[in-house]
C-alpha cells in the first residue's frame, strides 16, 4: 500500500505535468511552479516511469504531448480542478468565511437570486463565473462551481437539473441581410442558410434544414463576430438582444422556433444547506430573472427589478 507521502508526491507530479502540458515548455512551466527546471524534468520522468509511458516528445523543435500525455491531460485536468476547488473551500472555512460560486450562461443575471439569498446569508460571499455550453456539466461535477444557471442541452449525468423558465429565440443576422429590418420572421424564410451553433448540431432548435456553417463557435461573442463577417446566421435566446450589441448584427424575433430552456443545476452528490437555499432563492426570483431578458421591461429601468427583489 502506498504511503500518504507517496500519494502526495504523485499528486504533485500530476500538477507538474499539467503545467508543462499547458506551456509546452519546461522553462516557463518551472517558473510558474516556482521550482528549478532540472527538478521539474526529474519529476516528469518519474511520472512517466510510474505510468509506463512517455508523456511528452522532446526534440529541437520543442515539447509536444504524446497520445498517452493527451489522455492523462483529459483525465487529470478535472481531478486537479476538483482538488483546487476543495482546497479553496477548506481555506475559506478555516478563515471562518464562506463563498458560493455560481455559474451562469450569457444573458442570465444572477443578481435577483443573489439579493434574495443575501438577505438570509449576509456572511456568505456570492461569487459568479461566466460559463459556456461545454463548461456546464464539467465545472459542476468537479466542484469549480457550486450551482449554475444553465441552458439546454446539457449532459445531466450526475447532475440535478431543474427547469426554471423559457426564453423566446431571435434570429441573429448580418446587418445587410435581406430580412434584417423585419419586425419578426418565420424560420421557413431562412431555410438553407448556414447556421452557426455552439453545441452538437443534432441539438439545434430548428424545424427546417440548415447546413452547418463549419465554424466552431464558443459563446455569444464569437457567434456575433462570425455572423457579422457573413459566415452564417444563428439563433440565440432573446436576452442576447438586451445584453449584447454589435453594429454589424441585427436581432429579429422568430416566434415559431423552439424556445430556449433555462435551468438550475447542481451536482447530485453536492449536499449543502447553503446551496439548497440559493437554489430556492433562484426559483423564487425566476420571473424577475426572466424579465431581465425582455427588452420592453428592460427599457423601464433597472429600478423595476430592484423594487421586486
Amino acid at each position: 500500500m502506498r504511503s500518504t507521502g507517496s500519494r502526495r508526491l504523485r499528486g504533485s507530479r500530476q500538477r507538474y505535468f499539467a503545467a508543462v502540458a499547458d506551456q509546452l515548455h519546461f522553462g516557463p512551466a518551472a517558473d510558474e511552479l516556482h521550482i528549478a527546471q532540472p527538478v521539474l524534468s526529474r519529476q516528469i520522468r518519474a511520472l512517466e516511469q510510474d505510468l509506463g509511458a512517455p508523456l511528452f516528445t522532446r526534440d529541437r523543435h520543442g515539447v509536444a504531448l504524446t497520445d498517452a500525455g493527451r489522455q492523462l491531460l483529459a483525465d487529470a485536468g478535472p481531478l486537479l480542478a476538483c482538488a483546487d476547488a476543495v482546497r479553496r473551500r477548506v481555506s475559506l472555512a478555516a478563515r471562518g468565511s464562506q463563498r458560493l460560486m455560481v455559474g451562469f450562461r450569457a444573458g442570465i443575471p444572477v443578481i435577483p437570486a443573489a439579493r434574495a439569498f443575501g438577505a438570509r446569508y449576509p456572511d456568505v460571499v456570492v461569487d459568479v463565473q461566466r460559463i459556456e455550453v461545454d463548461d456546464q456539466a464539467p465545472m459542476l461535477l468537479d466542484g469549480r462551481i457550486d450551482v449554475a444557471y444553465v441552458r439546454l442541452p446539457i449532459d445531466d449525468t450526475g447532475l440535478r437539473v431543474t427547469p426554471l423558465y423559457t426564453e423566446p429565440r431571435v434570429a441573429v443576422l448580418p446587418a445587410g441581410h435581406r430580412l434584417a429590418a423585419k419586425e419578426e420572421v418565420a424560420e421557413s424564410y431562412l431555410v438553407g442558410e448556414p447556421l452557426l451553433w455552439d453545441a452538437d448540431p443534432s441539438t439545434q432548435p430548428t424545424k427546417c434544414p440548415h447546413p452547418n456553417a463549419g465554424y466552431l463557435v464558443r459563446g455569444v461573442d464569437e457567434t456575433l463576430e462570425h455572423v457579422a463577417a457573413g459566415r452564417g446566421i444563428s439563433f440565440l435566446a432573446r436576452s442576447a438582444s438586451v445584453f449584447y450589441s454589435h453594429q454589424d448584427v441585427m436581432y429579429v424575433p422568430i416566434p415559431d422556433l423552439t424556445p430556449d430552456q433555462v435551468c438550475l443545476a447542481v451536482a447530485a452528490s453536492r449536499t449543502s444547506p447553503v446551496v439548497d437555499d440559493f437554489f430556492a432563492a433562484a426559483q423564487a426570483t425566476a420571473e424577475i430573472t426572466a424579465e431581465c431578458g425582455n427588452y420592453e421591461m428592460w427599457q423601464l429601468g433597472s429600478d423595476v427589478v430592484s423594487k421586486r427583489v
Side-chain angles (χ1 to χ4, degrees):
M1 187 170 99
R2 289 182 181 272
S3 67
T4 302
S6 297
R7 289 196 298 270
R8 187 181 300 116
L9 181 58
R10 187 170 181 179
S12 298
R13 287 171 181 165
Q14 289 179 350
R15 192 171 302 280
Y16 296 161
F17 161 77
V20 178
D22 179 58
Q23 298 281 352
L24 290 180
H25 197 294
F26 278 77
D31 291 341
E32 177 186 317
L33 295 164
H34 305 293
I35 62 174
Q37 184 173 335
V39 174
L40 176 60
S41 297
R42 285 198 299 272
Q43 293 298 329
I44 294 298
R45 283 196 296 272
L47 179 60
E48 290 175 322
Q49 291 171 0
D50 192 19
L51 295 174
L55 301 173
F56 299 98
T57 58
R58 309 162 179 82
D59 57 32
R60 59 188 180 84
H61 299 295
V63 176
L65 283 164
T66 64
D67 289 342
R70 282 188 288 272
Q71 183 63 55
L72 179 60
L73 184 62
D75 292 339
L79 294 175
L80 292 171
C82 182
D84 286 339
V86 170
R87 191 176 295 107
R88 286 194 300 270
R89 285 198 290 268
V90 170
S91 177
L92 287 166
R95 296 198 299 269
S97 59
Q98 281 187 287
R99 183 179 300 271
L100 185 72
M101 182 63 76
V102 180
F104 68 98
R105 292 290 301 279
I108 304 175
V110 179
I111 190 62
R115 284 177 177 161
F117 174 81
R120 182 167 181 180
Y121 289 95
D123 297 328
V124 177
V125 176
V126 177
D127 206 347
V128 296
Q129 181 168 345
R130 162 100 169 261
I131 57 177
E132 300 297 351
V133 63
D134 53 348
D135 293 328
Q136 297 183 131
M139 293 184 73
L140 284 164
L141 292 171
D142 65 28
R144 282 175 285 171
I145 52 179
D146 299 301
V147 61
Y149 289 88
V150 301
R151 296 184 185 275
L152 299 186
I154 182 173
D155 180 355
D156 62 1
T157 305
L159 300 177
R160 175 161 53 97
V161 180
T162 303
L164 202 59
Y165 63 88
T166 60
E167 276 193 71
R169 295 188 196 262
V170 294
V172 189
L173 308 175
H177 193 279
R178 58 189 171 84
L179 300 175
K182 295 289 186 181
E183 290 188 5
E184 65 177 46
V185 64
E187 189 199 352
S188 59
Y189 283 57
L190 296 167
V191 169
E193 301 226 18
L195 186 64
L196 295 153
W197 191 242
D198 64 358
D200 182 342
S202 67
T203 66
Q204 293 172 0
T206 55
K207 301 174 183 176
C208 302
H210 295 273
N212 190 332
Y215 294 89
L216 180 62
V217 293
R218 192 171 189 273
V220 175
D221 303 284
E222 291 184 13
T223 297
L224 297 186
E225 289 300 319
H226 283 298
V227 171
R231 294 166 181 158
I233 65 169
S234 190
F235 300 120
L236 294 175
R238 177 179 59 188
S239 56
S241 65
V242 175
F243 294 107
Y244 294 85
S245 61
H246 195 296
Q247 63 180 3
D248 297 316
V249 165
M250 297 293 289
Y251 297 104
V252 181
I254 184 161
D256 62 336
L257 209 61
T258 304
D260 181 88
Q261 177 69 61
V262 175
C263 300
L264 284 169
V266 64
S269 60
R270 188 90 160 89
T271 56
S272 163
V274 171
V275 171
D276 289 344
D277 279 354
F278 184 88
F279 221 82
Q283 289 176 304
T285 56
E287 182 180 351
I288 303 169
T289 305
E291 284 181 346
C292 288
N294 181 331
Y295 185 67
E296 289 74 19
M297 176 270 177
W298 192 258
Q299 286 180 311
L300 298 177
S302 59
D303 59 320
V304 175
V305 176
S306 300
K307 291 175 183 176
R308 294 187 59 181
V309 176

